[in-house]
Amino acid sequence: METTSNITEFILLGLSQNKNIKYFCFLLFSLCYIAIWMGILLIVISIICSQLIDQPMYFFLKYLALSDLCYTSTVTPKLVTDLLAVINTISYTSCMTQLFAMHFFGGIEIFLLTAMAYDRYVAICKPLHYTVIMSRPRCNAMVIACCAGAFLHSFLMFLLTINLPFCGPNEIDHYFCDVYPLLKLACIDTYRVGILVVANSGTMGLVAFVILMLSYFLILYTIRAYPAESRGKALSTCSSHIAVVVLFFVPVLFIYIRPTVTFPEDKVFALFYTIIAPMFNPLIYTLRNREMKSVLRKVWCQKPFLIGRQIF
């Protein structure tokens, strides 16, 4: 006999039931979300209004910043408002939409980080062919490929989850709708579905992480013979990328590469890739990047600017 779903909404248990902790988290994550908006808009406007937009690395950085903003916006506003509510509910439709959006924008971020690592590899290991390999049409094609790959990944996750029957209980031990907590509530055996989830999310994240680390290993191997000044500049750029990769990938792999089980610590690890990483990415890319710091001074401190392309 086929099991059908009779759940129309879910209850999100959130980060904590302690009122004092909830009020503190409300203040903290509200400030974090404001900081994310300010930092990302600062980066995007600065890139658009300067010559950096012509460089592939900053072309990708602009889209990475926008994907960061969209990614965290699928979770953070709901989290912040729920911290002041007595009962946190989310409809079945909104839950599935949030799941799809999270994995879509998260997938875009993973693929964009991989594209940026490839850009650095070509720039440092094949400098004479850089302008040909990383031409603007190819960069545009890579961004489109990132979006297409993310959509395919997200659609598969959505397809695996939308067909699950939920008969009760309807309490999700998390602060947003994610696949593992939902598998725990399904009223069928989800072992096979869990294997497919690991094959989809876990394998994608692991393969991307290995490619990223391999590209940076090749970069470090190549620059060992560079003069000290050139080596320092290359290391400065790559260290920023590596910091972003570690901050995002380590908690993602911790959650999605293992079998379909949930732990209380998952909510803490999820904070890293949904809020903390998007908040620190602008700082990492600006404070450790001389070109970005120079452009920020030109755009925001020395000259008025117009929205659009402008040469300083």
Side-chain angles (χ1 to χ4, degrees), residues 51-112:
Q51 290 177 316
L52 292 182
I53 190 64
D54 296 322
Q55 299 183 33
M57 183 178 75
Y58 297 99
F59 174 78
F60 290 128
L61 178 57
K62 178 188 70 173
Y63 286 105
L64 179 68
L66 292 174
S67 68
D68 265 336
L69 183 59
C70 294
Y71 182 58
T72 192
S73 293
T74 63
V75 174
T76 309
K78 173 68 175 170
L79 168 63
V80 170
T81 55
D82 283 351
L83 287 168
L84 297 180
V86 178
I87 300 178
N88 308 324
T89 61
I90 184 170
S91 68
Y92 178 85
T93 302
S94 298
C95 183
M96 294 300 121
T97 302
Q98 186 183 60
L99 175 73
F100 179 86
M102 270 205 63
H103 284 273
F104 176 64
F105 292 115
I108 290 177
E109 183 153 356
I110 288 174
F111 291 128
L112 280 176

Side-chain angles (χ1 to χ4, degrees), residues 6-33:
N6 57 13
I7 298 295
T8 58
E9 68 176 14
F10 296 100
I11 297 175
L12 297 172
L13 298 183
L15 293 172
S16 174
Q17 299 302 313
N18 186 293
K19 287 186 178 181
N20 293 329
I21 294 178
K22 290 176 70 174
Y23 291 147
F24 171 77
C25 290
F26 170 79
L27 178 61
L28 176 64
F29 295 134
S30 296
L31 293 175
C32 288
Y33 192 53

Side-chain angles (χ1 to χ4, degrees), residues 137-158:
R138 182 163 295 183
C139 289
N140 288 329
M142 291 172 70
V143 171
I144 293 173
C146 289
C147 295
F151 179 83
L152 178 61
H153 157 71
S154 184
F155 180 75
L156 291 175
M157 294 292 285
F158 177 79

Side-chain angles (χ1 to χ4, degrees), residues 42-53 55 58 286 289-303 305 310 312:
L42 187 70
I43 283 184
V44 172
I45 293 174
S46 298
I47 291 174
I48 292 175
C49 297
S50 71
Q51 290 177 316
L52 292 182
I53 190 64
Q55 299 183 33
Y58 297 99
T286 53
N289 189 305
R290 293 179 183 177
E291 288 183 315
M292 277 300 303
K293 287 191 287 188
S294 176
V295 164
L296 288 173
R297 285 193 294 268
K298 288 181 179 179
V299 173
W300 301 98
C301 300
Q302 295 180 8
K303 296 182 179 182
F305 64 93
Q310 179 173 339
F312 289 85

Side-chain angles (χ1 to χ4, degrees), residues 238-259:
C238 291
S239 63
S240 300
H241 292 192
I242 292 173
V244 170
V245 167
V246 171
L247 195 60
F248 182 79
F249 271 89
V250 170
V252 167
L253 292 177
F254 172 80
I255 291 178
Y256 291 107
I257 202 64
R258 66 172 193 249

